[in-house]
Amino acid sequence: MTQVDVLLGLQWGDEGKGKIVDVLSPQYDLIARFQGGPNAGHTLEFDGKKFVLNTIPSGIFNEKTMNLIGNGVVIDPIILKRELDNLKKAGHDPVAAGKLVLARKAHLILPTHQLLDAANEQKMGAGKIGSTLKGIGPTYMDKTGRNGLRVGDTTLPDFAARYAKLVEKHKEILSHYEFEYDLTEKEAAFFEAIEFIKTIPHVDSEHFVNGYLKAGKKVLAEGAQGTLLDVDFGSYPFVTSSNTTTAGACTGLGIAPNKVGDVYGIFKAYCTRVGGGPFPTELDNEIGETLRQVGHEFGATTGRARRCGWIDLPALKYAIMLNGVTELIMMKADVLDGFDTIYACTHYEYNGETIDYMPYDIISIQPKPVLTAIAGWKTDLTKITSTDQIPSQLSAYIAFLEKELEVPIKFLSVGPDRTQTLTLR
Ligand code: GDP
Ligand code: IMO
Ligand code: MG
């Protein structure tokens, strides 16, 4: 019997998960998304083309790989339909090719979930989470509150009545906000999209994935968001509403913990965050602006400017521990090409002490990063194609990170294209 490998983000999302899942997908029979929803934006580039996926797993461009949207994912039928329509226009039709299946137990995002998200954020004003406003929080609230609608419900004869009952509840809540809305258009699009998603095969993800394992096939679970946005372990309340960590792959697909194999932890050679919340190594200055411009750090889903800063090792160590990371993947090293010196945060100064872990409260008391200087490589990495072309300063940075993090770096990414990926080990 095989095991499920997991690939997930170790920072605040947008580490480059989509690119690497695409690169690895030829080695896997099944790619499975296990949490989050269309708050995610996973970018892939190959043959001069660029795709951004929100709900669909990043394995769809590989001919032989099956893709599953797992039970832990929340699905906006309108966005899923739009994603598939756009792919079709670009010559890719994973539904027709029989390469996409949907978990019956995945919860549905209703148009009113998005309204609730927006009304809530509007009310919070300056203290808002900075949600992507895709309705993620309210949908997971209905899931745990035992009110939600699931993909499997769409085939029941009373689906419209169930929908109406939940929308009634949402309208009641919305009446307590000063929030104007018009549902008519969205509702029509929702029901049209529901008809469409009925054409995608529905499966029980727990049986589906375990069936693959029993047959000795290889499965990769694709995370969304990042560890520091995990609802339990992230910078709460500035988090998303799902478990973005390895444990989330178990509940989000229906696999037992002893079925988890390799855990690929992916991180940028620096750090970014989009939305509100603490960010100890943030560079709210010219250096941060340089990282943003060179790294094109603007959200794949919302277009918002991402906040940028130096790599944060206490945060990475925390993420590695939580996820049981067995291999690291370093992304976007090329973005640092122009710097004479780069920096890594090794400790925090916090409450008069020097500490090397993330303390409970990083919101009211901001940790001050203790930085170590590292020589830059001043080389165009985007053109390198083999490990013997890696400049010595970058090799030293990699060795420094491996020593600090105590996990080997397996892949190094030096550009957004599929081909700009080096295998170090
Ligand atoms: P994801 O959400 O983790 O899949 O990451 P995103 O797609 O939101 O953001 C990563 C961005 O960086 C995308 O625009 C990618 O095309 C780009 N990217 C990925 N790897 C590299 C790399 O090694 N170098 C550069 N310069 N860009 C990269
Ligand atoms: P991928 O998968 C980066 C952030 C939002 C906000 C917080 C809560 O592309 O890495 P939500 O919409 O979940 O209520 O937003 O989480 N966020 C992400 N940041 N990448 C993502 O996904 C994100 N998904 C949510 O910006 O701060
Ligand atoms: Mg993203």
Side-chain angles (χ1 to χ4, degrees):
M1 187 167 324
T2 49
Q3 288 181 308
V4 176
D5 294 341
V6 181
L7 182 143
L8 41 70
L10 299 181
Q11 296 162 323
W12 277 288
D14 302 327
E15 296 89 350
K17 298 175 290 292
K19 170 184 161 163
I20 297 297
V21 170
D22 172 61
V23 167
L24 295 179
S25 63
Q27 300 173 29
Y28 288 94
D29 299 295
L30 173 67
I31 308 289
R33 272 278 306 267
F34 59 89
Q35 48 67 236
N39 47 352
H42 294 182
T43 315
L44 295 84
E45 290 192 31
F46 56 89
D47 302 340
K49 285 177 290 186
K50 176 173 164 171
F51 296 94
V52 178
L53 301 173
N54 303 116
T55 327
I56 300 170
S58 303
I60 46 153
F61 298 104
N62 190 261
E63 231 169 83
K64 293 199 190 83
T65 313
M66 176 59 100
N67 294 269
L68 162 70
I69 302 175
N71 59 278
V73 177
V74 289
I75 295 169
D76 181 332
I78 301 173
I79 294 180
L80 178 55
K81 179 174 184 298
R82 195 174 60 212
E83 276 186 80
L84 286 163
D85 286 346
N86 287 342
L87 281 170
K88 206 169 174 178
K89 276 186 217 144
H92 299 272
D93 191 345
V95 180
K99 289 198 313 192
L100 182 69
V101 295
L102 210 51
R104 276 193 189 91
K105 295 189 177 77
H107 279 246
L108 294 171
I109 302 176
L110 272 47
T112 41
H113 283 129
Q114 282 177 9
L115 295 175
L116 287 165
D117 217 356
N120 204 31
E121 285 278 88
Q122 183 183 296
K123 189 160 185 208
M124 294 220 277
K128 68 180 181 182
I129 304 296
S131 161
T132 60
L133 302 180
K134 303 293 178 195
I136 305 297
T139 305
Y140 279 115
M141 279 165 74
D142 272 334
K143 174 178 176 175
T144 50
R146 297 162 296 179
N147 291 301
L149 291 178
R150 302 189 288 178
V151 166
D153 296 339
T154 60
T155 59
L156 300 177
D158 64 345
F159 177 69
R162 287 173 187 238
Y163 168 86
K165 191 172 162 210
L166 187 53
V167 166
E168 223 28 66
K169 185 191 133 195
H170 293 162
K171 284 183 175 168
E172 160 66 27
I173 302 170
L174 284 165
S175 71
H176 298 282
Y177 291 89
E178 276 172 41
F179 188 79
E180 304 254 321
Y181 62 89
D182 179 10
L183 254 183
T184 333
E185 252 179 54
K186 273 271 182 180
E187 213 156 49
F190 178 81
F191 279 101
E192 192 195 332
I194 288 290
E195 287 312 307
F196 172 75
I197 66 164
K198 283 186 191 168
T199 66
I200 307 172
H202 297 177
V203 300
D204 294 312
S205 47
E206 60 279 35
H207 293 301
F208 194 79
V209 176
N210 282 289
Y212 265 71
L213 300 183
K214 251 192 181 151
K217 293 185 175 169
K218 292 201 69 187
V219 182
L220 178 67
E222 173 180 358
Q225 290 78 57
T227 302
L228 304 176
L229 288 169
D230 181 278
V231 65
D232 280 279
F233 301 107
S235 47
Y236 194 89
F238 297 94
V239 294
T240 190
S241 299
S242 62
N243 282 118
T244 58
T245 39
T246 303
C250 294
T251 55
L253 295 175
I255 50 160
N258 63 358
K259 296 285 177 352
V260 173
D262 290 337
V263 179
Y264 293 101
I266 180 163
F267 66 98
K268 282 178 192 169
Y270 50 101
C271 198
T272 64
R273 169 164 210 172
V274 61
F279 181 2
T281 61
E282 182 169 15
L283 295 162
D284 192 10
N285 57 20
E286 234 171 71
I287 305 171
E289 189 53 36
T290 303
L291 289 171
R292 187 172 307 118
Q293 295 305 330
V294 179
H296 304 290
E297 294 296 356
F298 298 90
T301 303
T302 58
R304 291 179 295 174
R306 294 177 185 148
R307 300 155 62 191
C308 299
W310 297 122
I311 200 164
D312 183 336
L313 300 181
L316 271 180
K317 286 177 191 171
Y318 183 57
I320 287 167
M321 176 188 79
L322 289 168
N323 291 305
V325 172
T326 56
E327 272 124 340
L328 289 166
I329 302 173
M330 181 155 82
M331 308 300 290
K332 302 189 88 159
D334 56 294
V335 174
L336 302 178
D337 284 355
F339 287 92
D340 291 320
T341 308
I342 59 170
Y343 292 88
C345 164
T346 56
H347 295 79
Y348 303 130
E349 267 169 22
Y350 186 77
N351 257 345
E353 280 180 69
T354 304
I355 58 171
D356 67 351
Y357 62 89
M358 271 214 147
Y360 174 78
D361 179 13
I362 60 170
I363 293 171
S364 56
I365 312 171
Q366 281 263 349
K368 193 172 165 285
V370 178
L371 300 174
T372 290
I374 291 150
W377 40 88
K378 306 284 271 181
T379 309
D380 180 1
L381 293 182
T382 61
K383 302 279 185 317
I384 71 171
T385 51
S386 67
T387 51
D388 56 14
Q389 294 168 306
I390 294 176
S392 60
Q393 298 90 333
L394 176 56
S395 296
Y397 184 43
I398 291 169
F400 165 77
L401 292 174
E402 288 186 330
K403 185 160 176 279
E404 286 280 326
L405 301 172
E406 300 180 80
V407 181
I409 300 180
K410 188 172 165 91
F411 299 110
L412 172 70
S413 177
V414 291
D417 192 85
R418 218 185 231 175
T419 56
Q420 291 171 304
T421 316
L422 302 178
T423 305
L424 300 182
R425 288 162 178 277

